[in-house]
């Protein structure tokens, strides 16, 4: 138990807050290979098409740079967030926290 607690403490220190830890742990099933985004997007859309997988992919893509500085990255992110919003029906996901985070971040990027 002490070993597990030490590992959890190390993870918390590494990621600094629980949201990042949760996102990182939840993102293990979808790869965010930014060299071939179309494959990842197709995988998400054809298999699960859920907000959690979309959010994981989008957050990992954002980690590749700074959209405030890199206009190319900003445009790619806006495009992928747009795809996510289009692929996820609001009626089905309106109560989902990940869906809400996608919508908020999409609005921030477009502003």
């Amino acid at each position: 138990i002490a070993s597990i607690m030490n590992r959890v403490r190390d993870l918390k220190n590494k990621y600094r807050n629980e949201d990042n830890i949760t996102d990182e742990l939840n993102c293990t099933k979808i790869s965010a290979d930014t060299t071939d985004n179309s494959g990842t997007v197709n995988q998400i859309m054809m298999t699960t098409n859920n907000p959690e997988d979309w959010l994981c992919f989008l957050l990992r893509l954002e980690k590749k740079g700074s959209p405030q500085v890199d206009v190319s990255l900003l445009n790619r992110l806006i495009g992928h967030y747009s795809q996510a919003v289009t692929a996820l029906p609001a009626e089905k996901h309106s109560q989902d926290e990940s869906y809400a985070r996608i919508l908020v971040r999409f609005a921030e990027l477009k502003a």
Side-chain angles (χ1 to χ4, degrees):
I1 293 176
S3 174
I4 293 171
M5 293 304 293
N6 286 337
R7 180 72 177 138
V8 169
R9 201 170 308 118
D10 290 343
L11 286 171
K12 282 185 179 181
N13 288 337
K14 181 177 179 182
Y15 295 103
R16 295 196 183 120
N17 69 44
E18 291 182 14
D19 286 341
N20 284 342
I21 292 171
T22 303
D23 289 342
E24 196 65 29
L25 293 174
N26 287 337
C27 289
T28 58
K29 53 186 176 175
I30 295 293
S31 167
D33 178 8
T34 57
T35 59
D36 182 27
N37 292 324
S38 63
T40 304
V41 168
N42 288 339
Q43 178 186 1
I44 293 170
M45 290 177 72
M46 299 298 279
T47 56
T48 58
N49 199 37
N50 64 43
E52 292 78 18
D53 288 340
W54 274 106
L55 183 61
C56 174
F57 166 71
L58 295 166
L59 291 175
R60 284 197 177 185
L61 187 59
E62 281 195 50
K63 288 180 183 180
K64 299 298 179 184
S66 176
Q68 296 84 4
V69 178
D70 185 352
V71 176
S72 174
L73 176 61
L74 175 63
N75 290 332
R76 279 189 296 151
L77 287 170
I78 289 173
H80 286 300
Y81 272 92
S82 178
Q83 280 183 302
V85 170
T86 302
L88 299 167
E91 305 82 34
K92 182 178 178 183
H93 301 291
S94 63
Q95 300 298 313
D96 190 292
E97 181 182 342
S98 295
Y99 181 71
R101 289 177 64 190
I102 290 169
L103 292 176
V104 169
R105 186 62 181 145
F106 183 42
E108 290 172 345
L109 289 170
K110 286 180 71 174

